[in-house]
Amino acid sequence: MSGVPLVVGVGNPLRGDDGAGPAAAERAARDPRLAGARFRTVVQLTPELAADVAGASVVVIVDARAGAPAGTVDCSPVDPPPEAVPGRGGTRASLSHHLDPAALAGLAGLAYSRIPPVFIVGIGAGRFDAGAPLSPAVAAALPEAVDVVAALVAALVAALVAADGDRSDTVRAVRGSTAPGVS
Amino acid sequence: MDGDKADGQSSNRIVIDPVTRIEGHSKITISLGEDGAVAGARFHVTQFRGFERICIGRPMHEMPGIMARICGICPVSHIIASSKACDEIMAVSPPPVAVELRRVINLAQVVQSHALSFFHLSSPDLLFGFDAPPATRNLFAAAGEAPQLARDGIALRRFGQSIIETLGGKRIHPGWVVPGGVSHPLAASQRDAILAAVPEALAAIRRGLDWYRGRLAGFAAEAECFGTSETLSMGLVHDDGNAAYSDGDLRVVDASGAVLADRIDPRPYWEYLGEVAHPDTYLKSTYWKALGYPAGTYRVGPLARLNVVDRLGSAEADERLGEYRERVGRTPQSSFHYHEARLIEILHAITVIGEILASPDVLDRHVRSVAEVNRSEGVGVSEAPRGTLMHHYQVDEQGLVTWVNLVIATGHNNEAMNAAVAQVAARYVDADRLTEGMLNRVEAAIRCFDPCLSCSTHALGQMPLSVELCAADGTVLDRAVRP
């Protein structure tokens, strides 16, 4: 296992619940369970993050999720496009100066020949009004989101140490270690 | 006006609408005459933002912070021009170290913005060619084909952004540059961290320059017709003729290199520059008054800056500049050479950042001159990555803003961009057939200028680009839609 865990909070704090990702990442940075991890807060995922992703042991991206009930927390693995996995060849069209998590992971593979396990933790968002603070439901969900991030990192690191990269097992482990709401 | 020739004679037309993917604020119209030949082209910016209006009534000291929100790519340029306008209103000169620190953050933005333009947006065209299908002409494919090039682009973006974040507190919409100087001095640890990253950044841009030189021979045709119409060039220079980015005076040269104006104070810009408003775009066109419109059309930005300066002012970049001039001429007119000019400027910017930060005075703690309103008017001028940027404010006795005028690089280049599109269209557009290669080249001609719209004019395979070929009676002869 190389590198340290990387936690990326994505979103615009000036747009209501879109700031859930950065708020969760900032809270996670103060959590002793995540000591040793690196933390980044960004408005959007950009190609420059590919270097950080490629250099991390595991990556957890925390982002607001539109359409999900406000304050719910879920996590899921990010599968980079298979064409981007080093050695498989091929290309994928969709890429800009801002990326989705799968494209970011793919770019890390193409440019740096390394894709660590990448997960996304979604926080259901209720409002995106300009200048609004986090809604009460989302603010109340931040501790749970940090719990999920901490459990994910612990499980992923343990899996890597055990040379067991099966991420479905990791998801089950995280589900079992946290309260309902993690799907 | 859309679809008609200036003399009112009806014509066929091709409309590329929208050109943008994210902002969705521009389109290109190519007008064809009755003979099917390209009769003209227009680049339209269809969004109205009204920043000059929303600032009215705001306290002068807020202006840099407000102006930073104009753009997520080059906020530093607006902060610097805005703060310089406020310096004028306060009638103060920033402390010398603040002037140098402003130069550092401005040059850092030049690095990150130019890197985005060349490595992320334009390199796929140069790597795969303009006739390649969109699915293989994007950064993702480029990273698979040339991973070192992708890594170098990422490294240069990170270098510039990390400096902006270190000094300004965040990568996008930073603070720190304020009226009178900068808000706080540089810490030794910050200086050391930036200096430690300089060697890697230099290595990355050297590889990028060498890579570009290796590709150039394959694009001789494009280099000949990507906006080669003759224009003036304008940019800031220091007293010694070296390139200036945060300060300096204006120099204007013509296509032959003859100097039309040298080291003139840029602040009374209205004495030299005229503006033309067009009914089909929110982007005004500026021109050099002495020659009138449109003869006074000029360009700004990397190509123009290299055309106006005697030298850049750093040894290695000047060596590259000399080799470039030997190859393309002293004042090249092809906008295709914006690409190489951009790379040479990156090399210069990194070098100067290292030189400034190596100075023992850079940690001086007196970084801000404090004053209230002492004048009712101020103009701030600097070089943004895309070209000369002018902020002009008027305030009342309490320092509340009463009037704002912004003259931005994309406006300076507007007429030259129209000419470039027309020239490319005339070379590649067939009135009976719309091809991917034609669309790509028209967009790429705009992209050479790296306008604020360039990110969205880049074809990423999913750009909702539609082109219609219409007869004089409105009948659609051909339609191309790229999902």
Side-chain angles (χ1 to χ4, degrees):
Chain A
M1 185 181 76
S2 62
V4 300
L6 172 66
V7 178
V8 183
V10 187
N12 186 347
L14 299 177
R15 297 300 299 267
D17 289 344
D18 197 40
E26 289 167 4
R27 188 182 182 95
R30 300 190 297 271
D31 193 304
R33 293 173 294 177
L34 291 163
R38 292 184 61 214
F39 298 87
R40 292 286 306 275
T41 57
V42 296
V43 176
Q44 60 187 14
L45 301 176
T46 58
E48 292 70 58
L49 277 171
D52 293 313
V53 168
S57 58
V58 300
V59 179
V60 178
I61 297 169
V62 191
D63 198 2
R65 193 182 294 280
T72 58
V73 178
D74 63 71
C75 71
S76 56
V78 172
D79 293 318
E83 298 89 353
V85 177
R88 294 190 190 177
T91 59
R92 194 183 110 154
S94 176
L95 194 72
S96 179
H97 61 286
H98 67 91
L99 311 173
D100 60 42
L104 177 62
L107 183 59
L110 289 166
Y112 299 93
S113 300
R114 184 170 185 277
I115 306 176
V118 180
F119 275 71
I120 186 163
V121 172
I123 302 173
R127 67 184 186 198
F128 297 94
D129 306 313
L134 295 178
S135 65
V138 169
L142 293 181
E144 181 187 346
V146 174
D147 288 344
V148 173
V149 172
L152 260 176
V153 168
L156 288 165
V157 170
L160 287 173
V161 170
D164 178 4
D166 187 335
R167 285 181 282 177
S168 60
D169 289 346
T170 303
V171 173
R172 283 192 290 273
V174 173
R175 283 174 175 158
S177 66
T178 59
V182 178
S183 59
Chain B
M1 290 291 290
D2 202 11
D4 294 332
K5 294 203 290 193
D7 61 3
Q9 181 182 351
S10 63
S11 64
N12 298 332
R13 63 175 178 166
I14 295 172
V15 180
I16 300 178
D17 180 17
V19 177
T20 64
R21 185 166 79 95
I22 300 164
E23 292 90 345
H25 306 148
S26 74
K27 66 176 181 180
I28 295 171
T29 302
I30 303 168
S31 300
L32 307 177
E34 296 292 350
D35 60 355
V38 172
R42 297 286 300 166
F43 174 64
H44 314 264
V45 175
T46 55
Q47 180 203 27
F48 177 72
R49 299 191 70 182
F51 249 85
E52 292 162 331
R53 294 290 301 169
I54 65 175
C55 294
I56 303 300
R58 303 308 307 173
M60 177 265 291
H61 284 91
E62 290 184 359
M63 290 299 284
I66 294 172
M67 288 300 171
R69 266 65 186 180
I70 285 180
C71 177
I73 299 296
C74 56
V76 170
S77 302
H78 287 285
I79 295 172
I80 287 177
S82 180
S83 293
K84 289 184 69 178
C86 294
D87 295 344
E88 287 288 306
I89 291 170
M90 297 190 306
V92 299
S93 296
V97 70
V99 173
E100 293 300 294
L101 290 172
R102 284 180 175 183
R103 290 179 66 199
V104 169
I105 197 169
N106 200 25
L107 291 170
Q109 177 167 260
V110 167
V111 173
Q112 69 89 12
S113 178
H114 282 3
L116 171 67
S117 172
F118 180 81
F119 290 90
H120 289 7
L121 299 181
S122 293
S123 73
D125 292 335
L126 302 170
L127 190 59
F128 299 110
F130 294 100
D131 293 312
T136 60
R137 198 165 33 76
N138 55 66
L139 176 58
F140 205 82
E145 182 73 17
Q148 182 63 56
L149 185 72
R151 290 196 294 271
D152 287 339
I154 288 171
L156 289 167
R157 281 272 290 168
R158 287 164 61 92
F159 175 79
Q161 287 181 323
S162 67
I163 293 174
I164 294 170
E165 186 174 31
T166 297
L167 300 181
K170 51 185 179 179
R171 296 179 179 213
I172 302 173
H173 305 148
W176 190 59
V177 179
V178 295
V182 297
S183 62
H184 52 272
L186 183 68
S189 59
Q190 293 174 319
R191 175 200 59 188
D192 295 344
I194 296 171
L195 284 174
V198 167
E200 180 188 345
L202 286 173
I205 189 56
R206 287 169 185 145
R207 282 191 295 266
L209 271 160
D210 291 342
W211 181 87
Y212 177 82
R213 285 293 315 281
R215 306 297 298 182
L216 192 55
F219 295 94
E222 284 80 4
E224 282 182 7
C225 72
F226 267 45
T228 53
S229 57
E230 294 189 347
T231 70
L232 313 181
S233 296
M234 186 176 82
L236 294 175
V237 297
H238 288 301
D239 287 343
D240 57 6
N242 287 357
Y245 291 85
S246 299
D247 297 289
D249 292 319
L250 280 178
R251 178 182 282 175
V252 178
V253 303
D254 68 15
S256 72
V259 177
L260 302 186
D262 198 11
R263 284 166 280 195
I264 57 174
D265 184 350
R267 290 172 294 183
Y269 62 90
W270 57 90
E271 295 180 4
Y272 328 122
L273 305 181
E275 278 189 330
V276 175
H278 301 287
D280 55 7
T281 176
Y282 284 112
L283 186 61
K284 293 179 181 176
S285 298
T286 54
Y287 63 96
W288 185 248
K289 271 186 176 177
L291 296 186
Y293 176 81
T297 296
Y298 60 92
R299 279 177 282 199
V300 297
L303 180 80
R305 284 193 288 256
L306 296 199
N307 282 352
V308 302
V309 301
D310 295 333
R311 67 199 74 78
L312 285 162
S314 61
E316 186 177 352
D318 279 329
E319 186 176 334
R320 295 272 189 172
L321 175 61
E323 188 278 328
Y324 161 86
R325 285 175 171 170
E326 279 186 16
R327 183 162 28 86
V328 302
R330 177 60 180 81
T331 51
Q333 297 297 297
S334 170
S335 296
F336 194 84
H337 298 309
Y338 265 102
H339 292 312
E340 187 168 4
R342 211 164 268 130
L343 295 176
I344 294 172
E345 283 201 320
I346 291 176
L347 175 61
H348 173 66
I350 297 168
T351 304
V352 173
I353 288 170
E355 290 172 353
I356 293 173
L357 295 183
S359 165
D361 297 333
V362 79
L363 300 181
D364 193 299
R365 300 193 65 78
H366 178 48
V367 294
R368 187 174 187 179
S369 301
V370 178
E372 294 300 325
V373 174
N374 290 303
R375 293 190 184 122
S376 62
E377 190 166 14
V379 179
V381 181
S382 66
E383 286 290 339
R386 291 154 187 82
T388 314
L389 175 64
M390 299 164 167
H391 280 222
H392 185 183
Y393 309 150
Q394 292 176 354
V395 300
D396 64 15
E397 291 179 353
Q398 284 72 45
L400 300 180
V401 174
T402 59
W403 180 83
V404 174
N405 188 35
L406 308 177
V407 187
I408 62 170
T410 303
H412 292 302
N413 280 331
N414 194 20
E415 283 304 305
M417 286 193 290
N418 285 328
V421 171
Q423 191 171 29
V424 173
R427 173 73 176 267
Y428 291 101
V429 169
D430 182 328
D432 298 317
R433 187 164 50 92
L434 301 172
T435 67
E436 190 71 30
M438 178 273 287
L439 301 179
N440 295 343
R441 285 177 173 84
V442 170
E443 290 179 308
I446 291 293
R447 201 174 304 123
C448 285
F449 291 85
D450 189 27
C452 287
L453 303 146
S454 69
C455 55
S456 46
T457 59
H458 183 66
L460 297 165
Q462 293 187 339
M463 191 176 79
L465 177 69
S466 65
V467 180
E468 287 188 348
L469 177 63
C470 301
D473 63 359
T475 305
V476 177
L477 302 175
D478 194 9
R479 174 180 290 146
V481 177
R482 195 159 58 196

